[in-house]
């Protein structure tokens, strides 16, 4: 793995110190890091998976909408942020790797370094009440 | 590269008699490579450098790590800026909103300084940098943002097979969530890796650092751990606290190196030190 820019290093450190789930990706969508609270929701330890390509993390959790219809990767807030470099927000179901179906809400935002360098994106997400 | 240290004190010039050995001038390091003259930072040490600079030099490149006052306070007293026959290039970190030129003008204006940039006989050429790579003469320069309050760059200078790395103000613990274990996730690694000589912030003891987290500086212990992580050949501890006398600096150095077995050289940087890489 190439050395990371400062903003991504600080993003990981920020995520690592939070009590809410955080997911961090590079500009290509490669998963760089998720924190312990995210591990609890996803049912998977980061140390076991390491980096994942966007095609992998966007499908491995089998996201579905409220009606149970499969969500394509472009329907996920973080993938939208990667495409548009703008914040995105949404709620959907995932099947975590412990076999549980979890309803989550995600807010994703781009990471833009000084003066105008697009460096990746971060998503914060949380378990929502079932609808 | 011929390297001369004209100032390695941090924060505030401290020309006290008890600081005689390590010096009281703030950050300024001169790098000569053939006719190419590069100056790292314009702390108070640059005033004396300007006095002794070879008068035949017609082009000077000043690389500012950041714009905190101890790294810029000597600019207005740098004689070549008042010589119309010398072209001075000023490089510094980009910010989000305000151009580097405007930020430099804050210093060259009332109430801080009587001479405005526009009053100089030859306006310096301004170059904004971020994570950049470029060349000055035959020296390859790599800059990268590093962990310190406000936009701050570390510099890596490569000439042939020789590498000099310069990070006078750098808070390692804030720039890594797992220091010192993951080089690719450590601020400044790309700048310092495998350097022949690294000038690095080592202002505090480990205990002092605990009361100054977030101020942008590192302990000597962390600087040494970083030098090891980066496999540097020589680490010169830089940015001495203005409150620390020669005696106190040497005590700090002895305390933190006493039980270490290192395969690289570690020293306290002294004003006046000269190196050839």
């Amino acid at each position: 793995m190439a050395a990371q820019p400062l903003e991504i290093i600080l993003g990981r450190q920020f995520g690592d110190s939070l009590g809410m789930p955080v997911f961090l990706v590079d500009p290509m969508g490669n998963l760089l890091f998720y924190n312990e609270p995210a591990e609890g929701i996803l049912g998977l330890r980061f140390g076991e998976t390491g980096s994942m390509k966007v095609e992998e993390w966007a499908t491995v959790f089998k996201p579905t909408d409220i009606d149970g219809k499969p969500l394509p990767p472009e329907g996920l807030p973080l993938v939208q942020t990667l495409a548009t470099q703008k914040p995105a927000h949404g709620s959907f179901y995932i099947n975590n790797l412990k076999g549980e179906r979890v309803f989550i809400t995600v807010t994703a935002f781009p990471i833009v370094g000084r003066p105008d360098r697009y460096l990746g994106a971060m998503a914060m997400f949380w378990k929502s009440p079932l609808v | 590269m011929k390297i001369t240290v004209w100032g390695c004190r941090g924060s505030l010039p401290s020309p006290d008699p008890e600081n005689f050995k390590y010096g009281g001038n703030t950050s300024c390091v001169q790098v000569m490579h053939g006719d190419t003259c590069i100056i790292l930072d314009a702390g108070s040490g640059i005033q004396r450098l300007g006095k002794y600079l070879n008068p035949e030099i017609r082009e000077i490149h000043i690389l500012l790590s950041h714009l905190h006052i101890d790294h810029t306070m000597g600019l207005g007293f740098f004689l070549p800026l008042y010589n119309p026959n010398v072209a001075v290039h000023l490089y510094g970190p980009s910010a989000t909103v305000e151009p580097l030129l405007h930020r430099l003008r804050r210093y060259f204006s009332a109430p801080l300084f009587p001479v405005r940039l526009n009053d100089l006989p030859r306006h310096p050429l301004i170059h904004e940098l971020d994570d950049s790579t470029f060349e000055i003469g035959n020296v390859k320069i790599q800059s990268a943002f590093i962990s310190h309050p406000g936009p701050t760059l570390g510099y890596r200078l490569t000439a042939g097979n020789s590498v000099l790395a310069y990070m006078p103000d750098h808070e390692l613990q804030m720039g890594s969530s797992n220091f010192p274990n993951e080089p690719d996730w450590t601020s400044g690694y790309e700048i310092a890796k495998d350097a022949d000589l690294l000038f690095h912030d080592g202002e505090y003891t480990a205990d002092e650092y605990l009361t100054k987290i977030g101020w942008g500086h590192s302990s000597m212990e962390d600087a040494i751990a970083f030098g090891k992580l980066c496999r540097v050949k020589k680490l010169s501890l830089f940015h001495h606290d203005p409150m620390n006398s020669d005696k106190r600096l040497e005590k700090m150095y002895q305390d933190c190196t006493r039980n270490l077995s290192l395969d690289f050289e570690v020293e306290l940087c002294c004003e006046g030190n000269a190196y050839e890489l």
Side-chain angles (χ1 to χ4, degrees):
Chain A
M1 186 188 290
Q4 300 297 337
L6 176 67
E7 297 83 348
I8 295 296
I9 292 171
L10 296 177
R12 171 175 157 173
Q13 191 174 3
F14 177 54
D16 196 34
S17 61
L18 291 182
M20 63 187 302
V22 167
F23 210 81
L24 183 68
V25 296
D26 72 11
M28 303 303 293
N30 297 310
L31 171 65
L32 297 174
F33 173 71
Y34 55 85
N35 64 1
E36 278 188 18
E39 290 176 347
I41 290 183
L42 302 174
L44 196 61
R45 291 184 60 79
F46 180 70
E48 293 164 10
T49 62
S51 184
M52 275 195 265
K53 292 185 182 303
V54 62
E55 301 82 12
E56 194 177 352
W57 63 256
T59 54
V60 70
F61 301 109
K62 299 185 172 47
T64 61
D65 65 14
I66 292 171
D67 301 322
K69 292 179 193 157
L71 267 180
E74 57 272 23
L76 301 176
L78 185 52
V79 177
Q80 290 167 1
T81 292
L82 285 166
T84 63
Q85 298 180 24
K86 290 179 179 166
H89 179 83
S91 298
F92 51 90
Y93 283 98
I94 60 167
N95 290 343
N96 76 15
L97 297 189
K98 288 190 280 192
E100 301 161 338
R101 188 165 159 79
V102 186
F103 189 62
I104 63 171
T105 297
V106 178
T107 294
F109 53 90
I111 296 175
V112 181
R114 296 173 179 128
D116 188 22
R117 294 172 301 126
Y118 173 56
L119 301 167
M122 180 180 276
M124 292 182 171
F125 58 103
W126 54 96
K127 262 186 190 178
S128 297
L130 290 177
V131 293
Chain B
M1 290 183 278
K2 290 182 177 171
I3 298 153
T4 309
V5 177
W6 295 87
C8 53
R9 185 66 56 173
S11 309
L12 186 73
S14 314
D16 311 333
E18 61 270 27
N19 298 347
F20 182 74
K21 181 173 178 185
Y22 296 100
N25 278 305
T26 62
S27 303
C28 183
V29 173
Q30 179 190 15
V31 181
M32 294 299 301
H33 184 255
D35 294 334
T36 302
C37 177
I38 298 170
I39 298 171
L40 299 164
D41 276 330
S44 64
I46 201 172
Q47 183 256 0
R48 187 157 174 262
L49 162 58
K51 214 162 50 173
Y52 290 102
L53 198 63
N54 181 343
E56 291 178 9
I57 290 176
R58 288 287 171 261
E59 191 170 54
I60 296 168
H61 301 266
I62 301 175
L63 277 56
L64 300 171
S65 61
H66 61 308
L67 270 60
H68 283 166
I69 192 73
D70 53 322
H71 297 257
T72 56
M73 61 179 14
L75 266 181
F77 304 90
F78 185 51
L79 288 175
L81 274 177
Y82 299 88
N83 182 345
N85 299 317
V86 178
V88 177
H89 296 253
L90 282 171
Y91 304 73
S94 293
T96 310
V97 177
E98 203 174 8
L100 178 60
L101 173 62
H102 293 189
R103 286 177 285 141
L104 287 168
R105 277 183 180 153
R106 286 196 210 158
Y107 168 73
F108 282 94
S109 62
L112 297 179
F113 200 68
V115 182
R116 293 175 301 173
L117 268 182
N118 287 351
D119 296 333
L120 295 173
R122 186 165 176 174
H123 198 292
L125 297 136
I126 309 295
H127 307 267
E128 296 212 11
L129 304 174
D130 44 74
D131 290 2
S132 311
T133 303
F134 58 102
E135 287 185 4
I136 300 174
N138 291 321
V139 182
K140 181 183 162 194
I141 315 286
Q142 185 181 349
S143 61
F145 285 117
I146 57 172
S147 172
H148 187 70
T152 303
L153 296 170
Y155 290 106
R156 179 182 178 92
L157 279 62
T158 306
N161 295 321
S162 302
V163 175
L164 166 67
Y166 179 73
M167 282 181 273
D169 294 41
H170 187 207
E171 186 166 0
L172 287 157
Q173 293 279 354
M174 291 289 274
S176 169
S177 51
N178 188 20
F179 184 76
N181 295 314
E182 291 179 84
D184 292 338
W185 286 94
T186 301
S187 166
Y189 173 72
E190 198 70 13
I191 293 295
K193 67 180 180 185
D194 300 315
D196 295 289
L197 173 61
L198 165 64
F199 291 111
H200 194 282
D201 189 334
E203 179 158 357
Y204 305 134
T205 65
D207 285 343
E208 284 170 344
Y209 175 69
L210 295 176
T211 66
K212 295 174 179 179
I213 292 171
W215 290 23
H217 301 287
S218 294
S219 66
M220 286 186 181
E221 285 84 347
D222 286 346
I224 291 169
F226 182 64
K228 185 177 178 185
L229 183 75
C230 296
R231 302 176 304 272
V232 303
K233 293 192 179 68
K234 182 168 191 163
L235 165 66
S236 190
L237 296 165
F238 207 88
H239 203 277
H240 307 311
D241 191 296
M243 299 293 282
N244 286 338
S245 64
D246 294 340
K247 197 174 167 187
R248 160 95 166 124
L249 283 173
E250 287 173 356
K251 171 82 165 55
M252 286 167 64
Y253 174 81
Q254 283 160 9
D255 287 348
C256 80
T257 55
R258 185 172 296 126
N259 297 318
L260 290 179
S261 170
L262 296 169
D263 58 359
F264 62 100
E265 197 179 336
V266 179
E267 66 170 18
L268 288 167
C269 193
C270 274
E271 188 173 321
N273 271 7
Y275 310 83
E276 186 152 359
L277 301 182

